[in-house]
């Protein structure tokens, strides 16, 4: 068992960190304050392949593993959490089209999506269906060569600014087996975008309600087969949980770096505060827990890459642990800065705000515990113990 990064992985990390330092970090505070969605910078990331990391090579993506992708997303999130999180969502939606789309859909969308020239949003959550995704109500009724889509999706990242929507809809009866997935152009007639939500964090990307009012979608835009949508969604969530956990780890690492530098330069009582043992212990705990979170995320990514039978449980564990620890580390870094951590001249309050939502997304951390507990209590779950 070798925990060292390969030469390729080290190169991926270095390239991503250089991009984060040059394009993301210098602008993150302004994007947050002015609610700017930096599509031009995401397009630059696309030039490096960061918009199609694990999409298959035959669709124009890099075809990387989830572990390799996690290493890249961690470095990017050190520059801007909200922008990187949007890039992870775009990567997931692009991968779905590249994996389950028809040949026509792949030809229509994949070249511009993997390059970052166009962007994708993922539409699963509804006003009445959050963690209970199998209860979604948005309908798609077949009418000749089209589906007619009606319903609403809530909390959609990038809504109103992206070019294509991957939408989970109900084409059949109740429950998971009645759910299908459609690719819908974002400018289709009958799509109505709500107001941009005023959020605690993630201000560098818009979040809106999307209403579908008799939207006509060609049947060729179906992803996979009818009734496979829930399976596609769950496969997406396994990877999405690794992605969002990774964003927490990267942001927390940046917060830790900032806190360490501050401790070395800030003086009180005639000496740097790095000399106070209480703060040394706090910093040590932050680093220890962060390393543990990172290793759990990378283990989960490995399990997903290996198609391990327990991959879903490992992804849930990684998401729960890493997002909790990420928030804890950012909170501690803010505390080390005292009053300076609370003002926007310093990045700590933005890190604190941006990572908080990670404990809610891709299923709340309470839901993660339910997933883990069910596997632990199931027959043949010994490998988790």
């Amino acid at each position: 068992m070798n925990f060292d990064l390969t030469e390729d992985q080290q190169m991926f990390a270095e390239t991503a960190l250089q991009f984060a330092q040059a394009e993301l970090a210098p602008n993150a505070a302004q994007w947050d304050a002015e609610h700017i969605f930096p599509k031009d910078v995401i397009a630059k990331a696309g030039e490096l392949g960061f918009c199609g990391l694990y999409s298959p090579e035959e669709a124009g993506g890099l075809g990387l593993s989830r572990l390799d992708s996690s290493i890249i997303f961690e470095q990017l999130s050190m520059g801007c959490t909200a922008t990187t999180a949007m890039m992870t969502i775009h990567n997931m939606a692009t991968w779905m089209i590249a994996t389950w789309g028809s040949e026509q859909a792949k030809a229509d969308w994949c070249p511009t999506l993997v390059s970052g020239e166009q962007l994708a949003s993922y539409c699963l959550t509804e006003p009445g269906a959050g963690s209970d995704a199998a209860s979604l109500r948005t309908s798609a009724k077949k009418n000749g060569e089209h589906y007619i889509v009606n319903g609403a999706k809530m909390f959609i990242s990038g809504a109103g600014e992206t070019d294509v929507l991957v939408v989970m809809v109900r084409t059949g009866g109740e429950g998971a087996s009645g759910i299908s997935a459609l690719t819908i152009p974002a400018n289709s007639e009958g799509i109505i975008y709500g107001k941009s939500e005023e959020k605690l964090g993630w201000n560098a990307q818009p979040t809106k309600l999307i209403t579908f009012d008799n939207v006509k979608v060609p049947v060729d835009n179906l992803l996979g087969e009818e009734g496979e949508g829930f399976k596609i969604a769950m496969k997406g969530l396994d990877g999405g949980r690794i992605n969002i956990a990774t964003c927490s780890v990267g942001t927390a690492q940046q917060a830790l770096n900032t806190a360490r530098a501050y401790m070395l330069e800030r003086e009180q009582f005639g000496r740097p505060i790095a000399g106070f043992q209480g703060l040394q212990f706090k910093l040590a705990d932050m680093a220890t827990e962060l390393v543990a979170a990172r290793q759990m995320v990378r283990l989960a990514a490995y399990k997903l890459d290996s198609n391990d039978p327990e991959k879903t449980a490992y992804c849930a564990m990684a998401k729960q642990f890493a997002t909790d620890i990420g928030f804890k580390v950012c909170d501690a870094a803010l505390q080390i800065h005292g009053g300076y951590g609370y003002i926007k001249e310093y990045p700590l309050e933005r890190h604190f705000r941006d990572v908080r939502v990670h404990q809610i997304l891709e299923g709340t951390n309470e839901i993660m515990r339910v997933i883990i507990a069910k596997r632990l209590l199931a027959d043949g779950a010994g490998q988790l113990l």
Side-chain angles (χ1 to χ4, degrees), residues 161-314:
E161 295 288 342
T162 52
D163 303 283
V164 63
L165 312 174
V166 173
V167 187
M168 297 298 155
V169 297
R170 187 164 299 281
T171 54
E174 297 296 317
S177 62
I179 296 173
S180 300
L182 293 176
T183 299
I184 305 179
N187 61 354
S188 297
E189 184 176 356
I191 293 181
I192 304 166
Y193 294 99
K195 67 178 179 66
S196 188
E197 301 290 351
E198 292 291 330
K199 310 186 297 291
L200 176 69
W202 273 26
N203 291 319
Q205 52 165 283
T207 303
K208 297 180 181 180
L209 174 78
I210 304 179
T211 302
F212 300 88
D213 183 11
N214 290 320
V215 178
K216 291 180 65 175
V217 182
V219 295
D220 196 45
N221 287 26
L222 182 70
L223 298 181
E225 302 294 332
E226 277 199 7
E228 288 189 339
F230 190 77
K231 178 189 74 173
I232 294 171
M234 292 304 100
K235 286 180 178 291
L237 284 176
D238 280 345
R241 286 165 183 160
I242 291 173
N243 290 344
I244 211 66
T246 298
C247 288
S248 286
V249 170
T251 306
Q253 182 65 63
Q254 186 58 46
L256 175 63
N257 294 349
T258 304
R260 174 187 175 277
Y262 182 79
M263 284 175 59
L264 290 169
E265 69 179 28
R266 172 70 168 170
E267 292 191 1
Q268 290 288 277
F269 305 101
R271 57 174 172 157
I273 63 173
F276 294 101
Q277 194 173 60
L279 291 181
Q280 293 174 0
F281 286 175
K282 182 186 289 287
L283 198 70
D285 287 344
M286 292 160 65
T288 300
E289 292 179 323
L290 183 56
V291 168
R294 177 181 293 112
Q295 296 307 324
M296 181 168 279
V297 170
R298 292 182 179 178
L299 173 62
Y302 171 78
K303 294 288 187 182
L304 186 57
D305 287 331
S306 304
N307 197 30
D308 188 279
E310 301 295 350
K311 58 185 180 294
T312 295
Y314 277 98

Side-chain angles (χ1 to χ4, degrees), residues 12-244:
F12 295 152
E14 182 178 346
T15 301
L17 182 60
Q18 289 174 353
F19 183 84
Q21 292 173 337
E23 300 289 347
L24 301 181
N27 302 301
Q30 181 185 5
W31 295 341
D32 173 70
E34 300 178 15
H35 293 212
I36 296 171
F37 184 41
K39 294 169 70 173
D40 56 333
V41 175
I42 296 176
K44 289 183 180 180
E47 294 174 4
L48 296 173
F50 295 159
C51 289
L53 288 175
Y54 49 88
S55 290
E57 292 183 80
E58 56 267 26
L62 295 185
L64 297 182
S65 68
R66 296 309 179 98
L67 177 56
D68 292 343
S69 300
S70 176
I71 290 166
I72 291 169
F73 286 140
E74 180 181 338
Q75 300 302 313
L76 293 175
S77 61
M78 291 175 68
C80 180
T81 312
T83 302
T84 303
M86 182 64 220
M87 290 169 60
T88 71
I89 295 166
H90 168 81
N91 266 271
M92 180 175 67
T94 300
W95 165 75
M96 288 179 173
I97 297 172
T99 303
W100 287 284
S102 65
E103 291 305 313
Q104 186 61 53
K106 293 176 185 178
D108 288 345
W109 291 108
C110 287
T112 53
L113 290 176
V114 298
S115 69
E117 181 182 342
Q118 291 187 304
L119 298 176
S121 289
Y122 179 60
C123 307
L124 174 63
T125 301
E126 297 183 0
S131 297
D132 182 13
S135 68
L136 66 83
R137 309 306 306 167
T138 297
S139 66
K141 299 187 182 301
K142 188 177 287 187
N143 183 5
E145 294 301 309
H146 291 83
Y147 289 102
I148 307 301
V149 179
N150 284 281
K153 297 293 181 179
M154 196 171 191
F155 302 139
I156 305 305
S157 293
E161 295 288 342
T162 52
D163 303 283
V164 63
L165 312 174
V166 173
V167 187
M168 297 298 155
V169 297
R170 187 164 299 281
T171 54
E174 297 296 317
S177 62
I179 296 173
S180 300
L182 293 176
T183 299
I184 305 179
N187 61 354
S188 297
E189 184 176 356
I191 293 181
I192 304 166
Y193 294 99
K195 67 178 179 66
S196 188
E197 301 290 351
E198 292 291 330
K199 310 186 297 291
L200 176 69
W202 273 26
N203 291 319
Q205 52 165 283
T207 303
K208 297 180 181 180
L209 174 78
I210 304 179
T211 302
F212 300 88
D213 183 11
N214 290 320
V215 178
K216 291 180 65 175
V217 182
V219 295
D220 196 45
N221 287 26
L222 182 70
L223 298 181
E225 302 294 332
E226 277 199 7
E228 288 189 339
F230 190 77
K231 178 189 74 173
I232 294 171
M234 292 304 100
K235 286 180 178 291
L237 284 176
D238 280 345
R241 286 165 183 160
I242 291 173
N243 290 344
I244 211 66

